[in-house]
Amino acid sequence: MEVSSARSRGGTAITHVTAPDEFRLIADSAPVPMWLTGLDRVRRFVNRAYVDFLGLSYEEARAFDWRTILHPDDHDRIVAQSIAGEASLKPFTLEARYRRGDGEWRWMHSVSQPSFDAEGAHNGFIGVVFDLTEAREAERHLRETEERLRLATESAGIGTWEWDLPRLTGNWSAQAQRILGMDRGDDVPLAERMEAIVAEDREGVLAHIGERVREGGDLDMEYRVQRPDGEIRWVASRGIVLRNAEGRMVRALGTVRDITERRRAQERLEELNRTLESAVAERTRERNAMWRLSRDLLLVLDTRLRIVSINPIVAELTGYSADEVTGRPFTRFLHPNDQVALAEAIHRGRRERISEVEARVITRDGELRQFVWSASPEGGQAYVSGRDVTEERDRLRELLDAQEALRQAQKLEAIGQLTGGVAHDFNNLLSPIIGGLDILRRRGVGGEREQRLIDGALQSAERAKVLVQRLLAFARRQPLQVRAIELAPLLDGLRGLLASTLGPRVELRIETEPGLAAVMADSNQLEMAILNLAVNARDAMPQGGRLAVEARNATSEEGARFVELSVGDDGVGMDDETLARAIEPFFSNKGVGKGTGLGLSMVEGLTAQLGGSLRIASRPGEGTTVTLALPAAAVRPAARAEPGAAPPESSARGRILLVDDEPLVRLGTAETLREEGFEVDEADDGDAAIALAAGNAYACVITDYLMPGLNGVELARRLREQWPGLPILLLSGYADPEAFSELPYLTKPCFAADLLQAIAGLSATLPVRDDCGASASST
């Protein structure tokens, strides 16, 4: 059956139909139902897709009355439209729901046109049907999704805008500016943005906005804009108009997104529909155009899955030309892990239709692209199509990664808050313990045995104090205290903690170069950094191994002295891609639930804050070494007093006002001061302290930071408003260092030696305030 075109005497297109075998072969290969009828409206021919849709035999399908499977709600309308269309002797379309052979209702779009014999006499109709069910469902789902996500975030590729209607200006987000090609986004006149709308669309947009502003309702617009570089882009803008208390429209909020590709796809679909509608008349040209212009990969495979033919898009999608792949096994271009599953699916595809099978393609340059495959049988061959969904999958993974990163950040913040609170409470419990033991030690209470017990208790209390400082450092509640530090004793003190952290299967080695320079760092933060690196190394050695912690002197090319502190393992190592992302926040290759991805980024941040640098050397199978370059200290660190050491001698004595809301902490500190010859007045909050200060002369004030009512800094400001020269010392183990940078500060819990040294440092001679507010010198 051959189809060709001619012109009648009136100029009307005439379609001739002959050569049934050739037409049948072409029509049966089409994926959409097609038919031919005579003037008696009896089907003279139906194709394979038509038969499959009805689920009948060929002869039954020809004799079948299509009106019996119309949806009841569509029946009368469609029958009437069909009669009118046939009577017009012009092409006409119908759209309605039909019941498929399996009982499912499907939305179908049919296109019919009259056919004529060689003399131009009308002899019947030719028709083709397209299944719109998925498109309809997609449109419904799209509308629901757009409504739910009208204020979608920048990360979803959707920009936002806000209009000030009385001022006729607007603000556009950074993503919106990128979409629209704007060079600025704040206080932009609305008239300026209206000018960017393509002239053919501008009037409709303005009318829509005006109607919504006057009558209310949501804004919902699609139009074209011309970017500054001349490019025309389609955008979809949706929003709401807000009223003030008086009912006046004052603001509009909404989103904008680039729908150029969707519009282009829509245009391609419309073009495809037009092409299919003319398929009967121009079968060869239409088939070639579809083959050439399709954005999906289309292949014909033989029984051995060799590529018989492939459309030209293969070059764009894979980098191979059609000639390079024709005749070669299709599986040759698939990822090895996907070859068997897809091959089995396509073998089935030579007998039945298969769809939505995923398999990855390896492009010429080695890139993996994710495809979704479908296949249909024809003449013992498989007609295969593949849709590239790589970007779609990437966006989904990015969304899932962002959600996981948010959960990890929230979890880490919760742990930090809990840790900081527990450490603060523990500090308050530890302070009177250390204070009381310190007093007993200095008084020489008991005999030699009792003093040994007191010494042991003080050493344990000192270790507990260090533990609390580490907890506060983890919770980011401990001020960064940079000072000269000897690395050798610091590493030696960490040996036990590192050994217990690494476990028995990891051999620990710590080496420091003789004459190692001191470094400028915060000891607590540096210990946390070393511990983080050790945990990473342990996780990289699941079967056990060796961990080396080494410190050595070094000099830069400019002559600056620094110390290199390295932590190296012989674990699995990292490839170049992983190494490049190693210090990114929230990046982890340990698997879900096994790491926050913050360890290395925290170490890198600390190193940079200290004025140093970090480098990582790693190779797969050879382990990883992380090296911190820390600036050398100009002087050696001062020797630290042992727990319970005698306080420094000082002739400075006087009356001190002690402020702390914790009774036991206040009692221990007061007794320590009285032991050293100071007179002490106690207050449990800021208001009580101010009342005492108004009627007494004090050499200095010692106050806690966190208290009900006035905190320590606020109390100090109030006191200095009345007595500007009054020395004040802040005691706390839980604070923001920026909040009290104006005051001398001592970390709780502390020993008598530390406290007296801090008091002595307030002034060479303590100023004593008389009752009238004046100050005099007292030694």
Side-chain angles (χ1 to χ4, degrees):
M1 184 176 295
E2 182 177 283
V3 181
S4 60
S5 297
R7 293 281 177 179
S8 67
R9 287 183 297 274
T12 303
I14 302 174
T15 302
H16 307 293
V17 181
T18 58
D21 291 339
E22 183 178 356
F23 176 77
R24 179 187 298 277
L25 179 61
I26 296 169
D28 279 350
S29 67
V32 295
M34 302 172 61
W35 75 87
L36 295 175
T37 65
L39 293 177
D40 56 1
R41 294 182 176 81
V42 175
R43 301 286 194 250
R44 288 187 291 148
F45 168 78
V46 293
N47 72 338
R48 182 186 301 275
Y50 191 99
V51 172
D52 291 344
F53 183 86
L54 294 178
L56 303 173
S57 69
Y58 179 78
E59 291 303 325
E60 289 172 332
R62 285 186 56 203
F64 190 79
D65 185 350
W66 60 272
R67 291 169 295 187
T68 63
I69 60 173
L70 273 170
H71 192 280
D73 294 343
D74 301 335
H75 182 278
D76 294 345
R77 172 178 59 83
I78 294 301
V79 170
Q81 291 178 359
S82 176
I83 294 173
E86 291 176 354
S88 70
L89 292 183
K90 294 180 181 179
F92 64 93
T93 62
L94 303 174
E95 191 168 307
R97 288 161 289 183
Y98 294 81
R99 187 177 62 249
R100 198 165 58 187
D102 58 6
E104 181 180 353
W105 290 103
R106 307 291 291 180
W107 274 100
M108 309 296 286
H109 176 84
S110 65
V111 180
S112 302
Q113 71 175 39
S115 63
F116 302 86
D117 61 20
E119 286 74 31
H122 176 225
N123 61 5
F125 291 89
I126 302 173
V128 62
V129 183
F130 306 100
D131 192 328
L132 300 181
T133 307
E134 282 72 21
R136 285 244 179 179
E137 179 62 22
E139 289 177 1
R140 184 188 66 79
H141 181 68
L142 178 61
R143 287 193 297 271
E144 293 176 355
T145 302
E146 288 178 345
E147 179 63 22
R148 289 196 304 270
L149 300 180
R150 65 169 65 205
L151 298 177
T153 62
E154 295 285 337
S155 62
I158 299 176
T160 60
W161 49 262
E162 178 178 0
W163 295 347
D164 186 333
L165 297 179
R167 297 177 55 231
L168 295 179
T169 61
N171 298 323
W172 280 260
S173 69
Q175 179 69 8
Q177 295 173 52
R178 285 190 289 272
I179 292 172
L180 301 172
M182 301 170 62
D183 57 2
R184 61 192 179 92
D186 295 330
D187 289 324
V188 179
L190 297 184
E192 179 181 318
R193 292 311 311 154
M194 294 302 109
E195 287 297 321
I197 300 175
V198 172
E200 293 87 340
D201 300 346
R202 190 180 305 142
E203 182 177 350
V205 171
L206 292 173
H208 179 78
I209 295 173
E211 177 184 354
R212 294 298 184 266
V213 170
R214 291 190 305 272
E215 302 177 7
D218 292 352
L219 296 169
D220 191 349
M221 305 169 287
E222 292 186 2
Y223 52 90
R224 291 164 294 173
V225 295
Q226 184 170 16
R227 294 161 54 96
D229 58 4
E231 182 182 8
I232 303 296
R233 305 292 293 180
W234 274 98
V235 298
S237 186
R238 289 170 174 76
I240 57 174
V241 180
L242 304 179
R243 301 172 181 267
N244 62 11
E246 292 77 30
R248 295 178 54 204
M249 301 292 184
V250 293
R251 281 198 310 154
L253 305 173
T255 63
V256 61
R257 60 190 180 94
D258 191 329
I259 60 168
T260 306
E261 294 306 317
R262 193 196 79 185
R263 278 285 187 161
R264 289 174 180 170
Q266 208 172 323
E267 293 168 2
R268 287 195 298 269
L269 178 60
E270 293 170 358
E271 178 62 27
L272 176 61
N273 289 339
R274 289 193 294 270
T275 303
L276 288 174
E277 290 170 5
S278 63
V280 177
E282 301 178 356
R283 60 189 184 280
T284 303
R285 185 180 65 83
E286 180 276 339
R287 182 188 63 185
N288 291 341
M290 285 181 58
W291 185 263
R292 185 177 65 256
L293 298 177
S294 174
R295 302 301 300 172
D296 291 343
L297 200 58
L298 304 178
L299 312 92
V300 179
L301 305 180
D302 65 13
T303 56
R304 298 173 61 185
L305 299 188
R306 290 176 302 190
I307 299 174
V308 177
S309 58
I310 190 167
N311 62 334
I313 198 65
V314 64
E316 180 179 334
L317 295 180
T318 71
Y320 294 101
S321 67
D323 291 340
E324 288 178 295
V325 302
T326 301
R328 303 181 69 180
F330 173 53
T331 53
R332 155 72 176 76
F333 303 98
L334 300 178
H335 189 282
N337 294 346
D338 301 339
Q339 291 175 358
V340 175
L342 185 58
E344 292 176 351
I346 292 177
H347 276 302
R348 294 199 314 274
R350 292 192 294 110
R351 302 185 304 272
E352 60 186 24
R353 293 182 180 180
I354 61 103
S355 61
E356 300 299 317
V357 179
E358 295 196 14
R360 292 162 290 179
V361 170
I362 304 174
T363 67
R364 175 186 287 277
D365 59 7
E367 181 185 4
L368 283 177
R369 304 290 295 179
Q370 188 76 37
F371 277 74
V372 174
W373 302 94
S374 301
S376 299
E378 178 61 42
Q381 295 180 322
Y383 288 76
V384 181
S385 66
R387 178 166 52 91
D388 190 340
V389 295
T390 307
E391 283 72 22
E392 178 183 332
R393 296 292 190 271
D394 288 344
R395 286 193 293 270
L396 177 59
R397 280 192 294 271
E398 289 173 1
L399 176 60
L400 294 176
D401 289 345
Q403 291 172 342
E404 179 61 23
L406 177 59
R407 284 192 291 270
Q408 291 289 357
Q410 290 171 337
K411 180 171 67 176
L412 191 64
E413 174 64 18
I415 292 173
Q417 291 177 352
L418 176 62
T419 304
V422 170
H424 173 237
D425 292 340
F426 194 59
N427 257 340
N428 283 334
L429 296 174
L430 195 57
S431 291
I433 295 174
I434 289 180
L437 289 172
D438 199 14
I439 291 173
L440 294 176
R441 168 72 170 81
R442 289 185 288 109
R443 287 181 178 178
V445 173
E448 181 179 351
R449 181 174 178 273
E450 287 78 6
Q451 283 298 304
R452 284 200 306 271
L453 292 174
I454 292 172
D455 287 342
L458 279 170
Q459 291 172 9
S460 295
E462 171 70 10
R463 287 196 295 272
K465 174 183 175 182
V466 172
L467 175 60
V468 172
Q469 290 171 343
R470 287 174 181 163
L471 290 174
L472 288 171
F474 171 77
R476 296 299 186 269
R477 305 297 175 87
Q478 183 76 358
L480 192 63
Q481 298 177 345
V482 179
R483 58 184 177 83
I485 295 174
E486 293 281 8
L487 278 181
L490 182 141
L491 294 176
D492 191 58
L494 275 177
R495 187 184 298 273
L497 180 59
L498 289 175
S500 62
T501 300
L502 296 172
R505 304 182 67 179
V506 177
E507 176 187 339
L508 173 64
R509 176 171 58 86
I510 299 177
E511 291 185 1
T512 56
E513 179 181 294
L516 187 67
V519 297
M520 296 301 296
D522 182 307
S523 59
N524 291 326
Q525 295 283 9
L526 187 56
E527 288 174 352
M528 287 293 295
I530 296 170
L531 187 59
N532 268 328
L533 296 177
V535 169
N536 283 347
R538 178 202 63 194
D539 294 343
M541 299 182 288
Q543 306 303 321
R546 291 183 296 273
L547 178 72
V549 182
E550 300 175 346
R552 67 190 71 85
N553 292 318
T555 306
S556 68
E557 294 180 357
E558 294 78 14
R561 295 176 61 246
F562 58 94
V563 173
E564 288 188 341
L565 173 62
S566 62
V567 178
D569 63 71
D570 57 359
V572 296
M574 295 181 283
D575 56 27
D576 291 341
E577 181 180 356
T578 303
L579 183 60
R581 301 186 60 192
I583 63 173
E584 289 184 14
F586 302 112
F587 174 76
S588 174
N589 60 357
K590 296 182 181 180
V592 176
K594 296 183 179 179
T596 65
L598 291 174
L600 272 177
S601 64
M602 292 166 63
V603 174
E604 192 274 339
L606 172 64
T607 307
Q609 192 174 2
L610 295 174
S613 61
L614 177 145
R615 68 177 185 272
I616 307 174
S618 185
R619 292 178 66 86
E622 298 181 11
T624 301
T625 298
V626 180
T627 302
L628 282 60
L630 303 172
V635 296
R636 305 303 297 181
R640 298 182 61 184
E642 293 297 323
E649 291 296 330
S650 172
S651 60
R653 296 292 182 266
R655 193 171 189 177
I656 292 178
L657 174 58
L658 176 62
V659 190
D660 199 307
D661 62 311
E662 289 286 342
L664 293 178
V665 176
R666 191 171 67 246
L667 173 62
T669 306
E671 288 304 315
T672 297
L673 293 171
R674 292 186 180 109
E675 187 77 11
E676 294 304 316
F678 290 100
E679 296 181 35
V680 181
D681 288 343
E682 301 178 35
D684 60 2
D685 60 30
D687 291 334
I690 292 173
L692 286 171
N696 297 279
Y698 293 110
C700 69
V701 176
I702 300 175
T703 177
D704 187 22
Y705 176 69
L706 286 181
M707 298 182 295
L710 297 174
N711 63 35
V713 174
E714 293 168 340
L715 172 61
R717 291 172 183 162
R718 293 278 294 274
L719 291 173
R720 284 185 170 171
E721 287 176 1
Q722 297 294 324
W723 306 284
L726 181 61
I728 300 175
L729 176 65
L730 197 65
L731 276 181
S732 182
Y734 178 78
D736 177 3
E738 295 183 358
F740 51 79
S741 58
E742 63 192 70
L743 295 173
Y745 171 82
L746 184 61
T747 303
K748 290 196 307 184
C750 59
F751 292 96
D754 300 323
L755 179 58
L756 295 176
Q757 186 175 0
I759 293 173
L762 292 176
S763 175
T765 60
L766 293 175
V768 180
R769 182 181 62 81
D770 61 25
D771 289 340
C772 298
S775 295
S777 179
S778 172
T779 60

